[in-house]
Amino acid sequence: MAKLNSNSLSGLLILACVVVFALLASSHRSLPDAVGQSASAETFSSGRALKHLEVIARAPHPIGSAEHAAVREYIMRELQALGVTPQVQKTTVVSTRRGSSVVAATVENIVARLGGTNSRQAVLLMSHYDSVPTAPGASDNGAGVASLLETLRALKSGAPLKNDVILLFTDGEENGLLGATAFVREHPWAKDAGVVINFEARGNSGPSIMFETSDHNGWLIGEFAKAAPYPVANSLSYDLYKLLPNDTDFTIMREAGLSGLNFAFIEGLTNYHSRLDSVANLNERSLQHHGSYALALSRHFGSLDELGKKERNAVYFNTPGSVLIRYSSVLIIPLVVIVAVVFVAVMIYGLRKKFLTKRGIALGFLACLLNIVIVAGVSYLLWYLISTSNNVYGKMPFGDIYNSRFYLAGFTALTIALVSFLYMLLRKKTSAENIMVGGLGWWLIILVLSGLFLPGGSYLFTWPLLFSLGGLAAAFALKKEQSLSPGLAAVLALCMLPGVVLFVPLIEQIFVALTVNLIWATMILVVLLLWLLIPLLELLVSRHRWLLTGVMLAASFALIGVGGLTAGFDRNHPEPYHLVYGLDADANQAVWASVSGRADKWSKDFFPEGARRTALNQYYYKCPGTFLVGSAPVVMLPVPVVNLVKDETTEGGQRILRLRIEGTAGMSSVFVNVSSEAKTRRASVNDKQIETDAPPGRFQFGTDWGMRYYVPQAGGTELVLEMESRASVKVQVVGLSYGLPDVPNIPVRARPDDMMPAPYLNSDSTMVAKTFSFE
């Protein structure tokens, strides 16, 4: 690859080819067109689904709110109008999934069943219908609910299916997957489900990605590939998701042993759980993609003789044209061995023909590692400096920012500049072939590691590496001199295109999933891809050695600069700001509190100069963070009450306390914190035992523990405590209501247009704390 002084045109042509393939590779992420209301009756129409969504997402509808009840009634009416008989599963459910505290609620799941002609197992379509208090929930998860309603209408318009279709609209997903837990534990239809299809959202746009499956998914993936009209899925997402602490309702189904598929669109994270999650901001084509899955998969699985078959996990990924390639995971290790043998053979072949040297390969190996370390380190440091010097970015939740695409482009350009710069320095010491083969050694190492520890991601390194080695073998066979003709260099570069096809869309997906805060990790993938394109890099820099580095560096500065200039907040990109009102009924004192910093243009009404940050343990149980606190007028608010129903001591000296917690009108949840010198042995809520046989790190009783109960019922919530010995017990209750109180003579001004409630820690809520002692 040396001395290609007349191949600049060849390099540009190959670059154009690479760009075209990159665009084609991303084409499978393009969304289906929206379908209007005039579409045929048997077709899923996003236009018709939007009509449901306009009602469902007209306002926030968290569990226990009036809007939540209105959404439930709407879904019930629509199901009845579509000719099925809906049921409400109303029950108390207790969960210890979330850390050190208990979450409980009275949930109201909605279930309906479309009968099949000869059903043995049912297809379970699932989506939760509650939202968080700070968001209308158009995407999360009104889009899923509307998709199910429109899917049912389309199914009713066609020929009957063989299998039943169960529609489950779960309650309390946002509060700890409570509705799904109640369905699996108590509803008789749970055992009928042969396959579960769940719909979620973590943003407001982008393709609906099948990002999670149950284990032993070989059969499922095969059927999914047959039925899905626009499949977007890869087994790397499945393996990575298993390593993360995230969960959805599908987690409950999977843990119960049910087979299924989990879908979500994830772009537009800045809209997540905020007022921006509105119908106006939802990408209708994302909604259509949801629906295309729901209808096609319902019809497909609804027509099969047997559901839920278990086969060895599959490796699967997209190619241009929405083709889903799949093969059994049993082939992973044999493929790793084959690639390793081919790598060694090509390296020996190059050494024998004297196109490679041991020293050159070693330099290439070290250079690739150096590139990865430098790019990751520079990216991490640069983003740290950008994010800490711009206070706008520090105010954004979930790690994403409104203008993150500028930084993806800017950091990618910077990575190209760094790789080309280091390449030109090393190129003086050895050949491009040596540099490339040495770097492919890291590809082989990563392939072996992925095959052993991340099998679903092994495809990402298997096929690009295998094609690249094939190109190198061809180049070594056809070369007669140390120099390489532009034509042969083009052939070699084209063999790298499978890497482009697989890496480009994945880099975009990884960036969206990890957010800009972890852009250094995304750039490591860019470095690996660039190493495959060394033949192209050689052609581009052969005449003007530093031009590529200079152009990319300038582009990087420009794009990152634009990111900085467009970082401000406005009506369409509002600043999240957290605010709560807390009343300590024991001390007769009240505070305004915010986990955010001081926002001078608005928060000065609540936090004057000199306001300090402190813990708020009396309102937030075991919360490690601090809050900006300002004194507030005491407002006469209803206070939750804990009444003693029964107090007895057993023969063994244990104390059993039966308490009734009574909320107040409008109270959506109550925090209960129990402390005593005696340990709690057991406890139950509304006769539902609180389980403590959870894995390490989950909830365990002690002398101090907490619970949050949603939707306090009329007549009170019964809490039974079994204590190891008779000792004084303190029960602190904190009642939470949505909305801020009316403060006499000090009206709470609405936020300006460029601000919104923060999507965390019960922003814009009122909390009333009271402690009760039982000696």
Side-chain angles (χ1 to χ4, degrees), residues 44-112:
F44 184 95
S45 162
S46 56
R48 288 189 286 252
L50 276 175
K51 292 299 181 182
H52 296 302
L53 198 55
E54 288 168 357
V55 178
I56 294 167
R58 64 188 172 191
H61 44 282
I63 186 173
S65 66
E67 280 293 333
H68 181 250
V71 169
R72 181 169 59 252
E73 291 303 316
Y74 175 80
I75 295 171
M76 295 282 288
R77 289 195 305 270
E78 290 302 307
L79 290 171
Q80 290 170 341
L82 290 169
V84 296
T85 303
Q87 305 173 7
V88 174
Q89 180 198 11
K90 185 174 182 178
T91 185
T92 296
V93 60
V94 182
S95 173
T96 56
R97 296 184 61 87
R98 292 192 171 180
S100 61
S101 62
V102 179
V103 179
T106 298
V107 296
E108 296 186 63
N109 292 330
I110 306 168
V111 291

Side-chain angles (χ1 to χ4, degrees), residues 8 14 36 56 94 135 180 432 457 559 672 676 704 739:
S8 296
I14 297 172
I56 294 167
V94 182
L559 289 164
V672 181
S676 173
D704 182 16

